[in-house]
């Protein structure tokens, strides 16, 4: 703004300088043409009306603060230069920022360790919250305050240019200032610009800040949502980069953590009433109980007003640093109704020793050049300070070479001041409860304090000349005197600054940023019915320290509010996403049998190992119970009773045959084979009992051998009986008399013995080579595992059954051939019926045996044994017992030979 020939001296052929001059000219209403390059002198077009606070020194730093909040309206008609009228409406908190910077400078000047022998000065302007004003003031600070300068001098005879600026109360302002000051390499340290875009060193290489980037507070809020299991959250954000960035970072941090945004509503400053009403209705309609708000406190105030109108009072709000510590909201009556238990992220608060006493000791009499303090004094005490030592101040200012910069006072304010009485001189800030003197929570104020110390340590590093005694060629520092400091050198040292603050904290820059440090605050009710701000935790980098027991939630208790779209799935169930809805909205599906989920909200059910099964709740795998056909269960008792009954009946028949062994009925049917058949049937009934009970090594081997041998003995007897019947009737034919000699009693016994021994040999070979062994059948799905006799060799078992089937088929064929032999009581016909039943049972046994699960395999085999045994017993011996016991008149030789 003030020394364009100096800019051209630095970059005589740079296109960037032309663009810079054009941009500045457009922004500030300056007429700068290319002919400026050819002129010898350049003049400042217009004078700044910014109020300022000054102190000269060997090195001067600049400061920009938004001290007034009511900028005047400006008519940009582009026909004449805009006239900027002074701002009105003094902001008390920024006034505290200014005096924090002044206090820090005084501390540094009084220190013997930091910048010894170097006096630090400051030039502070009010930018009034307008980026054009901030730019005008910044260029004035960088170029000095002279109204003209000579291009022949490198510094253009500009008076007291600053080499570093502390300012940029908004991210937009900081972006503009950094872009303009970047080509000059003038460092800019902001205390309140938190946009993540400013971390880009390629675009903003000269920018630094003492406030963390907004990325970190969005991450902190995301971690809070994860920590308290808030999976369904509504978001109301400013319709700008601040709000959109917060949503983006929040979603990135919560991705895969089961947290979803129920809705995102935006607030525009231009349409704040309608946008706030729409957001309030959306909050009311949503089932989300936790609402994230990333916006300026004035927007939040309107949002709370709209919520109060529709009586929405049961939401838990998460606050960004822009409004979490707002005193205006804390004391607002509408806020008291709508927002309770607010949990927020706040800029780190830290005490500044001696600062409270410094503020209370301020008095316009001691600071006659401080127009800001004078205006505050007039507003606070309603009187005008009178300065007796004013002439001495003027003379000291003139001697110091600093031109006075007394602001132009508006006419209305001048009239108001003229009406004020003179102060008595007894006015004091001691004992006054005022936001300006409140140092209980120094947040942004502490950032300003840190910025001054960061600048001082960079200057100290630049001016300390660690290798002053080394040869000139080896000097690592230029050792420039304070009056000839180059901004580029200061920028390099600022990048490397690393020091311990007076409060004992390590301070350093990571690019443009500092390590993230936040306070976690909670709005709590007081007994008087108001709200207070309570510190409940801190954030250091990625470490979150939180005292959960100290939190007062929106419910008014210590119970964490619940905000979910779907309730968490209990153990034993899994989540199933609803089609077309966010991942946080799901149904709970019970796990299938044999699967478990032992965690809340499991995505999948896990299958139990083979030897385990799920419990009733399906939350744990328990060992599967051994299952086998026992004597204690109903099926085992039934089969045992049937087997014992069959054996008893067989014994009864045996007794009957013994008692009536001399009768024709018994003698005509080959009594010896009949007794042997009854014995084999009894063994068949009894061998089924071996299959019942817990399988063991010996029971598995014995049951198959007993089954195979018993049935072969039984079928062999029937086969020999059938052959004997055929032989007896065939021998009656001519020429066949000798046939009966081959089937005498000795041959009958031998035949039965040989046929049975074959089965004994098969069983012996099978059991010696690959015997059945008890084994757990894990293939069957259920809470029980079957303990069964495993057939290690299917061939052996097949040979046993096959041999029995061969004998049975042969016997059936022979009996079928003898069914029409002349006899009143045809033995062959009874054998035919019995063998038909026998074969039918065992043919049906094979598929039933293969398809039956678990212990029912054993039950099927027992049933086949009992059914075939009963079939043989009933078909062969029931008619004979009927004749012997109930029709004794037919039990005669005549009765048997009637046909």
């Amino acid at each position: 703004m003030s020394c364009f020939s100096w800019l051209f001296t630095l970059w005589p052929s740079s296109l960037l300088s032309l663009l810079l001059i054009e941009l500045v000219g457009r922004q500030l209403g300056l007429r700068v043409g290319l002919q400026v390059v050819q002129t010898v002198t350049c003049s400042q077009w217009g004078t700044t009306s910014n109020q300022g606070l000054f102190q000269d020194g060997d090195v001067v730093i600049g400061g920009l603060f938004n001290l007034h909040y009511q900028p005047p309206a400006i008519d940009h008609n582009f026909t004449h230069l805009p006239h900027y009228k002074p701002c009105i409406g003094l902001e008390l908190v920024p006034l505290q920022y200014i005096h924090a910077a002044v206090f820090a400078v005084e501390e540094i000047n009084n220190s013997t360790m930091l910048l010894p022998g170097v006096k630090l000065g400051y030039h502070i302007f009010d930018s009034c919250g307008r980026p054009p004003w901030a730019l005008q003031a910044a260029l004035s600070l960088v170029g000095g305050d002279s109204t003209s300068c000579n291009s022949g001098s490198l510094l253009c005879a500009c008076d007291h240019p600053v080499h570093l600026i502390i300012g940029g109360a908004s991210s937009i302002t900081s972006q503009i200032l950094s872009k303009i000051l970047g080509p000059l390499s003038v460092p800019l340290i902001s205390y309140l610009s938190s946009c993540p875009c400013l971390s880009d060193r390629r675009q903003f290489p000269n920018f630094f800040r003492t406030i963390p980037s907004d990325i970190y507070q969005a991450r902190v809020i995301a971690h809070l949502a994860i920590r308290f299991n808030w999976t369904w959250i509504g978001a109301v954000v400013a319709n700008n980069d601040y709000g959109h960035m917060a949503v983006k970072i929040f979603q990135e941090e919560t991705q895969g953590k089961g947290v979803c945004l129920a809705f995102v509503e935006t607030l525009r400053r231009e349409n704040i009433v309608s946008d706030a009403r729409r957001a309030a209705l959306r909050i009311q309609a949503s089932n989300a109980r936790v609402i994230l708000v990333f916006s300026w406190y004035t927007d939040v105030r309107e949002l709370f007003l709209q919520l109060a109108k529709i009586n929405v009072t049961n939401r838990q709000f998460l606050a960004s640093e822009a409004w979490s510590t707002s005193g205006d909201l804390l004391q607002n009556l509408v806020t008291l109704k709508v927002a309770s238990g607010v949990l927020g992220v706040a800029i780190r608060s830290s005490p500044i020793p001696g600062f409270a006493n410094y503020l209370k000791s301020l008095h316009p009499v001691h600071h006659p050049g401080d127009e800001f303090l004078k205006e505050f004094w007039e507003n606070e005490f309603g009187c005008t300070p009178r300065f007796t030592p004013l002439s001495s101040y003027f003379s000291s200012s003139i001697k110091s070479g600093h031109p006075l910069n007394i602001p132009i006072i508006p006419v209305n304010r001048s009239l108001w001041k003229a009406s004020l009485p003179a102060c008595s001189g007894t006015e004091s800030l001691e004992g006054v409860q005022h936001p300006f003197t409140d140092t209980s929570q120094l947040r942004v104020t502490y950032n300003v304090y840190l910025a001054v110390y960061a600048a001082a340590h960079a200057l100290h590093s630049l001016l300390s000349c660690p290798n002053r005694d080394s040869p000139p060629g080896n000097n690592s520092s230029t050792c420039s005197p304070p009056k000839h400091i180059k901004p580029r050198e200061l920028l390099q040292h600022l990048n490397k600054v690393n020091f311990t603050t007076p409060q004992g904290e390590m301070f350093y820059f990571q690019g443009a940023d500092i390590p993230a440090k936040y306070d976690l605050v909670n709005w709590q009710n007081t007994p008087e019915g108001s709200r207070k701000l309570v510190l409940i935790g801190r954030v250091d980098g990625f470490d979150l320290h939180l005292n959960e027991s100290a939190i007062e939630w929106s419910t008014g208790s210590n119970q964490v509010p619940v905000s979910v779209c779907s309730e968490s799935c209990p153990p034993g169930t899994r989540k199933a996403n609803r089609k077309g809805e966010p991942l946080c909205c799901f149904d709970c599906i019970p796990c299938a049998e044999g699967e478990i989920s032992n965690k809340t909200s499991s995505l999948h059910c896990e299958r139990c190992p083979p030897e385990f099964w799920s419990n009733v709740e399906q939350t744990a795998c328990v060992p599967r119970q051994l299952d086998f056909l026992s004597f204690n269960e109903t099926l085992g008792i039934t089969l045992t009773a049937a087997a014992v009954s069959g054996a008893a009946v067989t014994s009864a028949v045996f007794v009957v045959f013994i008692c009536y062994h001399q009768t024709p009925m018994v003698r005509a049917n080959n009594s010896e084979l009949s007794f042997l058949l009854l014995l084999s049937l009894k063994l068949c009934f009894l061998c089924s009992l071996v299959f019942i009970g817990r399988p063991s090594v010996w029971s598995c081997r014995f049951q198959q051998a007993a089954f195979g041998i018993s049935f072969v003995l039984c079928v062999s007897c029937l086969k020999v009986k059938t052959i004997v019947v055929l032989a007896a009737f065939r021998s009656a034919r001519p020429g066949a008399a000798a046939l009966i000699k081959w089937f005498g009693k000795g041959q009958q016994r031998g035949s039965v013995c040989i046929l049975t021994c074959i089965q004994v040999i098969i069983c012996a070979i099978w059991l010696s080579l690959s015997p059945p062994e008890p084994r757990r059948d894990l293939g069957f799905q259920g809470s029980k595992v079957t303990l069964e006799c495993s057939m290690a060799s299917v061939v052996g078992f097949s040979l046993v059954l096959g041999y029995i089937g061969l004998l049975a088929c042969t016997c059936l064929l022979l009996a079928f051939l003898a069914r029409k032999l002349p006899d009143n009581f045809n033995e062959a016909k009874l054998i035919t019926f019995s063998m038909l039943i026998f074969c039918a049972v065992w043919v049906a046994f094979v598929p039933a045996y293969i398809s039956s699960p678990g212990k029912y395999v054993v039950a099927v085999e027992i049933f086949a044994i009992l059914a075939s045994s009963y079939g043989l017993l009933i078909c062969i011996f029931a008619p004979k017992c009927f004749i012997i016991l109930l029709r004794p008149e037919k039990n005669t030789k005549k009765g048997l030979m009637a046909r």
Side-chain angles (χ1 to χ4, degrees):
M1 166 187 160
S2 55
C3 291
F4 292 106
S5 58
W6 173 51
L7 298 177
F8 275 86
T9 302
L10 295 178
W11 300 283
S13 60
S14 174
L15 177 61
L16 178 60
S17 62
L18 301 179
L19 295 175
L20 176 63
I21 292 172
E22 183 181 0
L23 175 60
V24 174
R26 289 179 180 176
Q27 187 74 7
L28 304 179
L30 303 181
R31 267 188 324 196
V32 180
L34 294 180
Q35 67 272 18
V36 175
V37 181
Q38 302 172 358
T39 61
V40 178
T41 61
C42 61
S43 299
Q44 187 181 56
W45 194 285
T47 59
T48 176
S49 62
N50 293 346
Q51 298 186 25
L53 182 62
F54 310 102
Q55 175 179 297
D56 283 334
D58 299 323
V59 180
V60 179
I61 61 175
L64 298 175
F65 297 89
N66 296 340
L67 197 60
H68 293 85
Y69 61 89
Q70 290 182 4
I74 302 173
D75 181 18
H76 291 288
N77 54 19
F78 301 102
T79 59
H80 60 272
L81 293 177
H83 177 65
Y84 292 94
K85 297 179 182 180
C87 292
I88 59 174
L90 184 67
E91 284 273 16
L92 299 179
V93 176
L95 183 61
Q96 189 185 71
Y97 302 164
I98 291 177
H99 283 279
V102 173
F103 176 75
V105 170
E106 291 185 6
E107 274 191 339
I108 294 166
N109 287 337
N110 295 329
S111 172
T112 58
M113 303 298 295
L114 186 59
L115 290 175
V118 178
K119 182 181 179 182
L120 193 61
Y122 52 80
H123 288 186
I124 298 175
F125 283 122
D126 174 20
S127 58
C128 199
R130 281 189 168 274
W133 285 38
L135 180 58
Q136 181 185 26
L139 290 176
S140 178
L141 288 170
V142 171
D145 294 325
S146 295
T147 57
S148 65
C149 54
N150 193 309
S151 61
S153 172
L154 180 62
L155 294 178
C156 299
C158 298
D159 296 332
H160 308 290
V162 301
H163 307 293
L164 178 144
I165 294 178
I166 297 173
S170 69
S171 297
I172 293 295
T173 302
S174 292
Q175 291 179 56
I176 295 174
L177 293 180
S178 182
K179 286 283 189 180
I180 297 299
L181 299 177
L184 305 176
S185 297
V186 176
L188 174 67
I189 305 179
S190 175
Y191 50 88
L192 206 52
S193 301
S194 56
C195 178
C197 58
L198 290 166
S199 299
D200 188 349
R201 302 307 281 169
R202 291 179 298 178
Q203 294 190 56
F204 310 102
N206 62 324
F207 177 79
F208 300 86
R209 55 183 163 196
T210 55
I211 182 174
S213 168
D214 286 332
I215 288 178
Y216 299 106
Q217 67 165 325
R219 287 176 178 172
V220 170
I221 293 178
H223 291 166
L224 288 175
I226 296 171
R227 179 169 184 155
F228 293 114
N229 295 319
W230 294 327
T231 60
W232 194 238
I233 297 178
V236 180
V237 300
N239 192 14
N240 52 28
D241 290 343
Y242 179 71
H244 298 318
M245 177 281 310
V247 172
K248 178 176 178 291
I249 298 301
F250 182 87
Q251 290 178 323
E252 289 176 356
E253 287 296 309
T254 57
Q255 187 175 9
K257 305 293 176 43
V259 178
C260 305
L261 289 178
F263 60 86
V264 177
E265 290 291 333
T266 57
L267 302 177
R268 290 178 297 174
R269 190 71 53 84
E270 299 81 6
N271 303 317
I272 184 59
V273 176
S274 60
D275 284 358
R277 185 184 302 113
R278 185 189 68 250
L281 292 174
R282 187 67 180 272
I283 292 173
Q284 183 187 42
S286 175
N287 60 345
R289 289 295 175 264
V290 175
I291 309 299
L292 166 64
V293 182
F294 250 81
S295 190
W296 188 239
Y297 79 94
T298 54
D299 302 339
V300 178
R301 182 172 54 198
E302 183 62 34
L303 174 64
F304 286 167
L305 178 62
Q306 297 298 330
L307 287 172
K309 290 180 178 179
I310 57 178
N311 197 29
V312 177
T313 60
N314 58 345
R315 298 299 190 270
Q316 175 67 49
F317 288 96
L318 298 179
S320 65
E321 49 82 22
W323 67 276
S324 62
T325 58
S326 170
D328 180 54
L329 289 177
L330 272 172
Q331 307 307 324
N332 191 290
L333 295 178
V334 174
T335 304
L336 290 175
K337 178 183 178 182
V338 173
S340 60
V342 172
L343 185 63
V345 179
I347 300 171
R348 171 67 62 90
S349 173
S350 182
I352 302 178
F355 184 55
N357 294 331
Y358 168 80
L359 290 177
K360 292 178 180 179
S361 66
L362 289 174
H363 198 286
V365 174
H366 305 138
H367 302 273
D370 191 344
E371 284 294 326
F372 303 140
L373 182 60
K374 182 180 178 182
E375 183 180 351
F376 164 70
W377 209 264
E378 292 170 349
N379 295 338
E380 181 65 22
F381 295 104
C383 62
T384 303
R386 300 302 183 197
F387 307 119
T388 55
L390 187 59
S391 58
S392 62
Y393 172 71
F394 271 89
S395 61
S396 63
S397 298
I398 295 172
K399 289 178 182 178
S400 66
H402 188 291
L404 292 177
N405 191 331
I406 299 177
I408 301 173
I409 300 174
V411 176
N412 56 350
R413 184 164 178 264
S414 300
L415 296 175
W416 176 77
K417 286 181 61 178
S419 65
L420 293 178
C423 293
S424 64
T426 61
E427 295 82 3
S428 173
L429 295 177
E430 290 285 349
V432 176
Q433 296 295 329
H434 197 277
F436 173 64
T437 58
D438 182 13
T439 58
S440 59
Q441 295 187 14
L442 300 177
R443 301 185 187 280
V444 181
T445 305
Y446 185 65
N447 289 349
V448 175
Y449 181 80
L450 286 179
V452 175
Y453 265 90
H457 277 273
L459 287 168
H460 182 85
S461 175
L462 176 61
L463 300 175
S464 60
C465 298
N467 299 323
R468 186 183 295 273
D469 298 330
S470 301
N474 296 333
N475 278 0
S476 60
S477 177
T478 58
C479 299
S480 300
K483 294 296 183 181
H484 297 88
I485 291 177
K486 296 179 181 178
R488 186 180 300 276
E489 295 176 353
L490 181 58
L491 180 62
Q492 293 173 355
H493 284 268
L494 197 58
N495 275 307
K496 303 175 184 177
V497 74
N498 192 328
F499 64 94
T500 302
T501 66
Q503 288 71 31
E505 294 184 358
M506 290 299 299
F507 182 91
Y508 55 91
F509 287 113
Q510 297 173 329
D513 301 319
I514 60 172
K517 292 184 179 181
Y518 290 103
D519 287 342
L520 297 176
V521 295
N522 183 219
W523 292 11
Q524 298 186 4
N525 297 320
T526 63
E528 295 78 19
S530 60
R531 293 271 166 79
K532 64 178 180 179
L533 202 63
V534 178
L535 179 67
I536 50 129
R538 289 185 179 273
V539 177
D540 291 307
F542 292 99
D543 297 328
L544 191 151
H545 308 282
L546 182 64
N547 183 10
E548 295 185 20
S549 61
I551 302 176
E552 181 182 296
W553 300 103
S554 58
T555 56
S557 65
N558 293 333
Q559 186 67 34
V560 180
V562 177
S563 183
V564 295
C565 179
S566 300
E567 292 293 336
S568 299
C569 291
T573 62
R574 64 175 179 86
K575 295 199 300 185
N577 295 329
R578 297 173 185 170
K579 187 176 181 180
E581 296 188 27
L583 295 177
C584 300
C585 301
F586 50 82
D587 296 318
C588 298
I589 307 298
C591 293
E593 291 187 358
E595 297 180 346
I596 65 162
S597 65
N598 53 11
K599 296 183 298 183
T600 302
S601 298
S602 295
L603 295 175
H604 306 284
C605 295
E606 299 178 0
R607 180 164 293 278
C608 292
E611 295 186 1
F612 294 82
W613 197 252
S614 57
N615 58 3
V616 177
E617 296 80 13
Q618 293 178 305
T619 58
C621 291
V622 295
R624 296 169 70 176
Q625 298 178 359
L626 289 178
D627 189 31
F628 52 85
L629 188 61
S630 66
F631 291 100
N632 299 325
E633 59 182 301
T634 303
L635 182 59
I637 293 173
T638 302
L639 294 176
T640 300
V644 172
S645 299
V649 172
T650 304
S651 299
V653 173
F654 192 86
V655 171
V656 170
F657 268 55
I658 290 178
C659 293
Y660 294 93
H661 69 281
Q662 296 297 334
T663 61
M665 177 63 72
V666 176
R667 296 182 65 184
N669 287 281
N670 199 334
S671 59
E672 186 173 345
L673 286 179
S674 296
F675 286 124
L676 189 58
L677 179 59
L678 287 171
L679 177 63
S680 64
L681 284 174
K682 187 173 182 179
L683 291 176
C684 289
F685 281 116
L686 294 178
C687 79
S688 63
L689 299 177
V690 184
F691 289 85
I692 305 174
R694 184 186 181 103
S696 62
V697 175
W698 292 106
S699 66
C700 288
R701 296 181 180 184
F702 180 72
Q703 64 186 211
Q704 299 300 338
F707 157 69
I709 295 172
S710 298
F711 268 86
V712 166
L713 178 61
C714 178
V715 176
S716 298
C717 291
L718 289 176
K719 183 175 182 179
V720 171
K721 283 176 67 70
T722 306
I723 293 174
V724 169
V725 171
L726 283 173
F729 282 97
R730 295 291 182 184
S731 62
R733 294 180 180 181
L739 184 62
I740 194 61
K741 295 180 180 181
W742 292 99
F743 291 96
K745 292 185 177 181
Q747 287 81 359
Q748 294 176 18
R749 298 191 197 100
S751 298
V752 172
C753 184
I754 292 172
L755 293 175
T756 305
C757 286
I758 294 174
Q759 183 73 308
V760 171
I761 293 171
I762 294 174
C763 290
I765 296 174
W766 173 32
L767 297 179
S768 60
L769 295 179
S770 183
E773 293 181 351
R775 181 181 64 87
R776 297 181 180 184
D777 183 12
L778 302 176
F780 177 68
Q781 301 297 317
S783 59
K784 297 181 179 180
V785 56
T786 304
L787 186 63
E788 62 180 9
C789 293
S790 175
M791 299 297 176
S793 175
V794 180
V795 176
F797 184 62
S798 300
L799 288 175
V800 170
L801 289 180
Y803 184 65
I804 295 174
L806 177 63
L807 292 179
C809 291
T810 306
C811 182
L812 175 62
L813 179 61
L814 293 175
F816 181 76
L817 294 175
R819 72 187 187 283
K820 293 184 179 181
L821 293 177
D823 190 359
N824 192 34
F825 189 79
N826 194 339
E827 180 81 4
K829 187 180 295 184
L830 299 179
I831 294 175
T832 301
F833 288 141
S834 64
M835 293 313 299
L836 283 174
I837 295 175
F838 184 89
C839 292
V841 168
W842 286 102
V843 168
F845 160 77
V846 174
Y849 182 86
I850 294 174
S851 60
S852 297
K855 64 182 179 181
Y856 297 103
V857 172
V858 180
V860 166
E861 189 169 358
I862 295 175
F863 180 80
I865 292 173
L866 295 179
S868 56
S869 299
Y870 271 109
L872 294 175
L873 179 65
I874 293 172
C875 290
I876 293 177
F877 292 100
K880 297 176 182 178
C881 290
F882 179 80
I883 297 296
I884 293 173
L885 298 177
L886 300 179
R887 295 290 188 268
E889 67 277 7
K890 294 184 178 181
N891 190 9
T892 60
K893 186 175 181 180
K894 182 179 178 181
L896 295 176
M897 300 298 294
R899 293 179 60 188

